[in-house]
Amino acid sequence: SDVCSSDLPTLSHDMKVLIEAGIVNDRREGKNTFYSLNQDRLAAFKNTLHEITTSKANCICHSGERR
């Protein structure tokens, strides 16, 4: 059984969406295309995720807690 069971047109479409979103970079060498994660975009996403999931002192989630 193949690890990746998507057919080529579906995979091509998915990669195109990721490239257009700036999440994935593509590099063409002859007939081959090499893909890599956009490290800057990944770092920005990580920072945003950290920002929205980190508890803040004045957060509404603390309104019922005793201090």
Side-chain angles (χ1 to χ4, degrees), residues 14-31:
D14 293 346
M15 293 308 293
K16 180 180 177 187
V17 169
L18 292 171
I19 292 165
E20 288 175 353
I23 297 169
V24 170
N25 299 316
D26 64 331
R27 177 175 49 89
R28 299 179 195 279
E29 289 186 15
K31 293 182 180 181

Side-chain angles (χ1 to χ4, degrees), residues 38-51:
N38 180 328
Q39 295 299 319
D40 293 336
R41 184 65 61 109
L42 188 61
F45 175 71
K46 180 181 173 186
N47 290 337
T48 299
L49 191 58
H50 176 74
E51 195 62 34

